[in-house]
């Protein structure tokens, strides 16, 4: 085991968006290499089954454990972020929340419409309409953190709020449209577990040895019920209190997020990407992405639908309602961040599997389209954000230039 200072350094690094995004990207690259160079080994490991078959059906493949199990940790952290936004963030004030909420709604609706139009003819696959609707928080914030040195802090706040609301919508989509064969007895017991989780938390009961086993039981029952198990993670995240009481220095939600985020960013999400992003990529496969209705709809949904939906929704809300764009931001900034929000990696890969459970070839083509679309959005957004960053860096340098060295910036000594 590493010494304490090294462990603290690693966990602190894993809490940053940059490191989390790099690990996610690295896992995706490893998955692609593994699946294309040693496809049989990749399939064998992905399909390896582990877990008890009784009393609940938890004899799952490693791929399913990553999709339904590890990704629940990611959604748990997302639930805490959403709760914090409601309590102390942009979503606390209706006027401040209006723009990112409208942007998120339009950023979900338009990609779905673009996909539906692309798949409206013969040979289309309308079941995949939700694939291009999600924004990947880890990747998007990671790209922004790498590119940004002088961009306004309000841009990150807008993107975070947008992505959190987007995640909530994605969770609702998964729960409503991709849950089947509901077992109400298991769902009822899972909800009862959530009530117990809430009661113990509100009564001030502490101890991971109590809450971790309870969380595992809630997750297992939710999985057995037929509702996607990741919903349980969001529900538990939303239950946690995210405001301080008494002499608390930080709320329980903030404390738990601080502890769990390294596990999510450093293990759960990269391992999920390792099992989700492993698709065979070849010339014919890439050609199918731009010639077949389903993958083309995904690429267009992410690149065009997300950008136009988020930017257009924000402009319409600012134009026809009382909502106002943050004075620190310009519309060029909003267009760049709208393109960045088209990175739909984690949740889009998950929905690709849920949308086409009986057609593995189509699911793989959809995953390839997600990778291609997300890459195009990331590259385009990086170029746009670098241009905006250069603009703000020039403003900063102009405002702080002191040619005569008298300690007073020149801008304050100009006449006229």
């Amino acid at each position: 085991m590493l010494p304490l200072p090294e462990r603290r350094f690693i966990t602190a690094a894993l809490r940053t968006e940059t490191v989390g995004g790099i690990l996610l990207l690295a896992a995706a690259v490893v998955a692609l290499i593994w699946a294309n160079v040693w496809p049989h080994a990749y399939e064998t490991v992905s399909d390896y089954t582990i877990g008890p078959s009784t009393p609940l059906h938890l004899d799952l493949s490693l791929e399913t454990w990553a999709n339904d199990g590890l990704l629940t940790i990611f959604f748990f952290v997302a639930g805490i972020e959403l709760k914090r936004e409601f309590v102390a963030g942009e979503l606390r004030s209706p006027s401040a929340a209006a723009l990112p909420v409208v942007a998120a709604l339009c950023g979900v609706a338009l990609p779905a419409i673009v996909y539906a139009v692309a798949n409206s003819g013969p040979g289309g696959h309308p079941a995949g309409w939700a694939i291009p609707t999600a924004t990947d928080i880890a990747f998007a914030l990671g790209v922004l953190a790498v590119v940004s040195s002088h961009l306004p802090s309000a841009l990150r706040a807008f993107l975070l709020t947008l992505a959190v609301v987007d995640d909530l919508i994605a969770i609702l989509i998964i729960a409503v449209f991709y849950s089947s064969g509901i077992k109400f007895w298991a769902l009822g017991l899972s909800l009862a577990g959530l009530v117990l989780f809430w009661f113990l938390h509100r009564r001030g009961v502490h101890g991971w040895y109590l809450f971790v086993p309870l969380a595992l039981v809630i997750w297992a029952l939710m999985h057995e019920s037929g509702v996607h198990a990741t919903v349980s993670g969001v529900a538990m995240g939303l239950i946690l209190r995210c405001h301080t009481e008494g002499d608390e220095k930080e709320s329980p939600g903030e404390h738990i997020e601080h502890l769990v985020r390294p596990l999510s960013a450093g293990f759960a999400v990269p391992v999920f990407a390792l099992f989700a992003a492993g698709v065979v990529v070849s010339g014919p496969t890439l050609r199918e992405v731009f010639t077949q209705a389903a993958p083309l709809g995904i690429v267009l949904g992410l690149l065009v639908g997300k950008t136009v939906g988020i930017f257009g929704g924000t402009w319409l809300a600012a134009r026809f309602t009382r909502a106002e764009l943050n004075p620190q931001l310009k519309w060029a900034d909003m267009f760049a961040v709208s393109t960045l929000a088209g990175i739909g990696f984690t949740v889009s890969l998950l929905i690709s599997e849920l949308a086409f459970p009986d057609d593995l070839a189509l699911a793989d083509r959809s995953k390839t389209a997600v990778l291609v679309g997300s890459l195009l959005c990331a590259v385009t957004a990086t170029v746009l954000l670098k241009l905006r960053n250069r603009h703000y860096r020039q403003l900063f340098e102009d405002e702080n230039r002191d040619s005569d060295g008298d300690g007073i910036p020149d801008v304050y000594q100009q006449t006229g």
Side-chain angles (χ1 to χ4, degrees):
M1 181 177 291
L2 291 174
L4 182 60
E6 282 76 5
R7 293 206 305 272
R8 286 178 173 173
F9 175 80
I10 292 173
T11 54
L14 290 174
R15 293 186 181 100
T16 64
E17 289 97 1
T18 307
V19 174
I22 291 174
L23 288 176
L24 182 57
L25 178 60
V29 171
V30 170
L32 286 170
I33 295 174
W34 188 4
N36 284 271
V37 178
W38 302 285
H40 179 69
Y42 184 82
E43 292 176 4
T44 300
V45 174
S46 297
D47 295 337
Y48 183 80
T49 301
I50 188 173
S53 58
T54 57
L56 303 177
H57 300 89
L58 295 178
D59 48 339
L60 310 173
S61 67
L62 291 181
E63 182 181 5
T64 304
W65 276 112
N67 291 348
D68 296 1
L70 292 180
L71 208 57
T72 301
I73 300 174
F74 167 79
F75 277 108
F76 174 69
V77 174
I80 298 176
E81 289 180 332
L82 180 62
K83 180 65 173 291
R84 192 174 64 245
E85 288 295 317
F86 276 123
V87 172
E90 292 287 327
L91 298 178
R92 177 183 59 179
S93 168
S95 58
L99 281 184
V101 169
V102 171
L105 291 172
C106 294
V108 169
L110 195 59
I113 293 172
V114 169
Y115 179 93
V117 171
N119 286 265
S120 58
H125 299 275
W129 62 271
I131 296 174
T133 61
T135 294
D136 189 285
I137 294 179
F139 253 146
L141 289 177
V143 171
L144 184 63
V146 170
V147 174
S148 174
S149 61
H150 292 81
L151 292 173
S153 59
L155 197 63
R156 183 189 181 278
F158 182 92
L159 178 61
L160 177 61
T161 307
L162 166 73
V164 167
V165 176
D166 188 284
D167 268 351
L168 176 61
I169 298 173
I171 292 157
L172 293 175
I173 289 174
I174 291 172
V176 174
F177 295 99
Y178 296 105
S179 299
S180 59
I182 304 299
K183 297 179 181 178
F184 289 99
W185 67 267
L187 180 60
L189 289 176
S190 182
L191 294 177
L194 287 171
V195 172
L196 178 60
F197 188 98
W198 173 85
F199 177 77
L200 293 175
H201 180 63
R202 287 297 176 181
R203 296 291 294 180
V205 177
H206 301 288
W208 66 266
Y209 49 83
L210 178 63
F211 283 98
V212 171
L214 178 58
L216 292 174
V217 171
I218 293 170
W219 173 87
L221 288 168
M222 187 71 74
H223 181 273
E224 180 71 14
S225 73
V227 176
H228 201 270
T230 52
V231 175
S232 64
V234 180
M236 286 184 279
L238 289 171
I239 286 173
L240 295 180
R241 176 167 58 82
C242 289
H243 63 275
T244 57
E245 293 181 353
D247 57 353
E248 291 179 338
K249 294 183 178 179
E250 61 179 357
S251 67
E254 291 172 317
H255 177 67
I256 294 173
E257 181 192 6
H258 187 75
L259 296 176
V260 177
R261 182 176 288 280
L263 176 63
S264 173
F267 180 72
V269 176
V271 172
F272 163 78
L274 183 65
F275 287 105
V279 293
V280 177
V281 179
S282 61
T285 302
L286 292 176
R287 186 165 56 251
E288 290 173 352
V289 168
F290 296 99
T291 57
Q292 294 189 359
L296 179 60
I298 294 170
V299 173
L300 292 177
L302 292 172
L303 184 60
V304 179
K306 274 289 186 182
T307 303
V308 177
I310 293 172
F311 182 80
T314 306
W315 184 85
L316 289 173
R319 176 69 175 81
F320 296 105
T321 70
R322 294 183 178 180
E324 296 181 355
L325 186 66
N326 189 299
Q328 296 182 27
L329 302 178
K330 305 298 181 183
W331 286 110
D333 303 329
M334 295 308 303
F335 186 80
V337 84
S338 298
T339 307
L340 182 63
I343 301 176
F345 192 83
T346 306
V347 180
S348 292
L349 289 176
L350 173 63
I351 298 179
S352 295
E353 295 191 352
L354 299 177
F356 307 116
D358 301 322
D359 193 337
L360 297 182
L362 181 57
D364 282 346
R365 287 198 298 274
S366 298
K367 289 181 180 181
T368 304
V370 170
L371 298 178
V372 171
S374 297
L375 178 61
L376 290 174
C377 289
V379 171
T380 304
T382 298
V383 173
L384 295 175
L385 288 170
K386 277 188 171 295
L387 292 174
R388 297 305 300 164
N389 191 69
R390 182 186 304 170
H391 168 74
Y392 284 108
R393 184 176 65 244
Q394 186 62 50
L395 289 179
F396 176 81
E397 292 173 353
D398 291 343
E399 291 175 355
N400 289 273
R401 184 177 293 110
D402 183 15
S403 302
D404 53 11
D406 63 354
I408 302 176
D410 297 343
V411 70
Y412 297 109
Q413 297 177 309
Q414 295 175 355
T415 58

